[in-house]
Amino acid sequence: MKRKRISFLAMLILAVILLMPASIQAATKPGAVKLTKITAVDYNKISIKWKKASGATNYIVYYKKAGNSKWIKLKTLGNTKSSYTHTSSSKYPIVVGQKYQYTVKAYDKNTKKYGSYNTKGLTVTASLKMVTGIQAKIEGTTVKLTWNKVSGADKYAIYSKIKAGDKWSKIITVKDTSSFIDVNPCVDCTNYYSVRGYSSITKTYGVMNKTGVSIYVKDSDEVKPTITPEPTDTPDSDDEIDHATPEQKVQEVFKLVNIERMNAGLQPYKYDLRLEKAAMVRAKEIAVKFSHRRPDGTSFDTAISQAGAGCPSGENIGMGTTNASEVMKAWMDSLGHKIAILSKSNTHIGVGYYEGHWVQTFSNGPDKKCTFTIDANGGKFNDGSSIKSYQFPLEQAHVSIYDVFPTPIREGYKFDGWLLYNKKYHYLTAYGDETFTATWVPNN
């Protein structure tokens, strides 16, 4: 009996051993997660998307600063999820301008196994959103811009251009606000504007709004000052300047301008007597009509061309004081005028004064020249010629062709304007070397 019991027990143990491989199977891992998309949806939010993996009961999201070796566990989600938006927090921060990597692992809580994952992850730069809602409104001869603020921006960069195909140029960066007034837009032309958010903490710009907004600015005939100097109750330390000659007054302004430029780390302006001549003429003209348009309706820069100065790039005008320090303070307190005074592209200046009226004229190179050729196209000029060429130190400057060209004559015809690039103009502002052809209509 004893031998039979031993044999039965041995057989039972053997049977259990034989059955074990068939009843216990190796635990399998969930499938690999395929990452599909990563987006910086706001300055403090980043979204990651993926495709679901087989065998996953959960998904675990990780992130790290780009280049770091250690992944940081962000969130564990259920297996119904295929996206996650990370919002910045003190524990898991997102810093504007910083690049981040994100990845996702599949997890099976039943087997306690992780699936394989993308070890590089997807990379994105935390950035400010694009500024939207940009609008422009005419206020006299100024343009008021408004826009929607973006989260994370404490400053806004203002950009402009005057041709649709030109590159955007930054004109100023303003503190946290949603509006800006351009006091010196291009008059009688279309102005284009855009706004871009900026974080001074990270020194990072937001996404550029490349469309922006455009508005046509027409010159106003209304006589009103573009700046109004503030009265002062303190004694003027430069009282003798008030009794000085116009030439002494303008030199005082020139000195103060270059002090401002040197304080801003800029090269001082060179003084151009031809620009001064134009500014003196303009000072008398703004006493008649306070505008960047001359009393005859032409642009201020025709005075510069007539004085023989080149490359006019701007004009500041002011009135209401006889004191150089006061008008300089008014200009420096006015954003648009300050921009012209502290321009990085201008190189020369001239100043004019007449009975409490002040003018600054600027240029970016008095020695450049451009050539305008006019073809009478069957007609003749008073000297009998049919083609004339004029060279002016006005490259890339505004030039009224009716201010500088003689009118040709043709028997049986009436002069009907100038043709440029197959388009007829009665009044034109030209840029660079150009050839103009006369157009004619038969006499009735």
Side-chain angles (χ1 to χ4, degrees):
M1 289 293 296
K2 187 175 180 179
R3 290 178 60 189
K4 289 182 179 180
R5 281 200 304 241
I6 293 173
S7 299
F8 178 76
L9 182 59
M11 291 177 64
L12 182 60
I13 293 171
L14 179 61
V16 171
I17 293 172
L18 291 172
L19 287 172
M20 282 178 64
S23 61
I24 299 178
Q25 299 178 356
T28 58
K29 297 193 306 181
V33 173
K34 183 179 179 181
L35 306 177
T36 58
K37 188 177 181 180
I38 191 167
T39 308
V41 295
D42 207 340
Y43 80 102
N44 64 343
K45 292 182 180 180
I46 294 175
S47 177
I48 179 79
K49 294 184 178 181
W50 61 90
K51 288 186 176 181
K52 292 181 179 180
S54 61
T57 61
N58 299 94
Y59 295 103
I60 304 174
V61 183
Y62 298 82
Y63 95 123
K64 64 180 179 179
K65 287 184 180 180
N68 285 4
S69 59
K70 185 178 179 180
W71 289 101
I72 300 170
K73 183 178 177 180
L74 266 177
K75 189 75 173 179
T76 299
L77 305 166
N79 61 1
T80 60
K81 303 293 185 181
S82 59
S83 67
Y84 174 70
T85 298
H86 169 203
T87 301
S88 180
S89 65
S90 57
K91 188 175 182 180
Y92 305 118
I94 296 174
V95 179
V96 172
Q98 174 66 52
K99 287 185 177 181
Y100 293 96
Q101 293 170 270
Y102 287 76
T103 195
V104 180
K105 290 182 183 179
Y107 178 71
D108 184 350
K109 65 181 180 181
N110 298 316
T111 62
K112 303 188 185 309
K113 294 287 185 179
Y114 293 92
S116 57
Y117 69 102
N118 186 328
T119 57
K120 291 184 178 179
L122 297 181
T123 303
V124 69
T125 301
S127 64
L128 303 175
K129 291 176 69 176
M130 183 177 69
V131 173
T132 60
I134 304 173
Q135 295 184 355
K137 181 181 179 182
I138 296 290
E139 294 186 350
T141 55
T142 69
V143 177
K144 182 176 182 179
L145 297 176
T146 59
W147 59 87
N148 299 328
K149 287 186 175 183
V150 295
S151 300
D154 58 358
K155 293 183 179 180
Y156 292 90
I158 314 298
Y159 295 79
S160 72
K161 58 184 178 180
I162 58 173
K163 290 183 180 179
D166 287 351
K167 292 183 179 180
W168 289 107
S169 296
K170 186 172 72 171
I171 58 176
I172 195 169
T173 299
V174 296
K175 293 183 179 180
D176 190 15
T177 183
S178 59
S179 66
F180 167 75
I181 296 178
D182 183 3
V183 297
N184 274 333
C186 178
V187 177
D188 282 344
C189 62
T190 300
N191 290 257
Y192 297 81
Y193 296 95
S194 188
V195 184
R196 194 178 186 187
Y198 180 78
S199 170
S200 59
I201 297 174
T202 60
K203 296 181 174 22
T204 305
Y205 287 96
V207 178
M208 180 69 179
N209 186 325
K210 295 182 179 179
T211 302
V213 67
S214 63
I215 190 168
Y216 185 84
V217 179
K218 185 178 180 180
D219 189 29
S220 173
D221 291 330
E222 182 180 357
V223 180
K224 62 180 182 179
T226 54
I227 61 172
T228 303
E230 297 179 1
T232 175
D233 295 325
T234 58
D236 184 5
S237 59
D238 297 319
D239 284 338
E240 69 276 6
I241 299 300
D242 290 342
H243 306 288
T245 65
E247 289 75 16
Q248 289 172 318
K249 289 177 182 289
V250 302
Q251 284 303 309
E252 178 67 12
V253 167
F254 174 56
K255 181 183 75 173
L256 294 173
V257 164
N258 277 341
I259 289 174
E260 294 289 352
R261 288 182 65 81
M262 287 186 287
N263 288 340
L266 300 171
Q267 289 293 319
Y269 279 138
K270 295 178 181 178
Y271 200 76
D272 191 322
L273 291 175
R274 293 168 296 182
L275 288 173
E276 180 191 273
K277 180 180 178 182
M280 286 292 194
V281 170
R282 290 287 297 128
K284 291 183 179 180
E285 290 180 345
I286 65 171
V288 176
K289 178 184 178 182
F290 197 92
S291 170
H292 292 297
R293 283 281 174 188
R294 304 180 70 182
D296 64 1
T298 61
S299 176
F300 74 89
D301 46 31
T302 61
I304 298 176
S305 65
Q306 291 166 3
C311 297
S313 55
E315 175 186 78
N316 281 346
I317 59 178
M319 63 178 290
T321 179
T322 61
N323 183 268
S325 298
E326 288 180 356
V327 75
M328 271 300 297
K329 181 182 185 304
W331 276 328
M332 292 303 293
D333 288 343
S334 173
L335 184 58
H337 299 86
K338 181 178 179 179
I339 290 172
I341 290 170
L342 300 183
S343 168
K344 294 182 180 179
S345 59
N346 292 338
T347 57
H348 291 69
I349 189 175
V351 184
Y353 173 80
Y354 176 75
E355 296 182 353
H357 295 79
W358 301 81
V359 176
Q360 292 176 327
T361 52
F362 305 92
S363 77
N364 53 24
D367 298 323
K368 295 181 180 179
K369 296 181 182 298
C370 60
T371 301
F372 299 101
T373 301
I374 52 176
D375 184 347
N377 188 25
K380 291 186 181 299
F381 299 103
N382 289 336
D383 61 1
S385 65
S386 59
I387 295 179
K388 285 181 175 291
S389 292
Y390 297 86
Q391 193 172 59
F392 297 94
L394 295 171
E395 185 178 337
Q396 297 180 348
H398 301 291
V399 179
S400 170
I401 60 177
Y402 281 88
D403 290 336
V404 296
F405 294 165
T407 301
I409 55 175
R410 182 179 178 185
E411 187 175 352
Y413 289 86
K414 178 182 177 181
F415 176 68
D416 195 43
W418 295 100
L419 194 72
L420 178 67
Y421 303 129
N422 296 318
K423 197 171 182 180
K424 186 176 69 175
Y425 295 90
H426 287 272
Y427 181 88
L428 175 70
T429 297
Y431 297 82
D433 294 346
E434 304 286 6
T435 298
F436 304 87
T437 304
T439 57
W440 305 93
V441 293
N443 290 332
N444 294 330

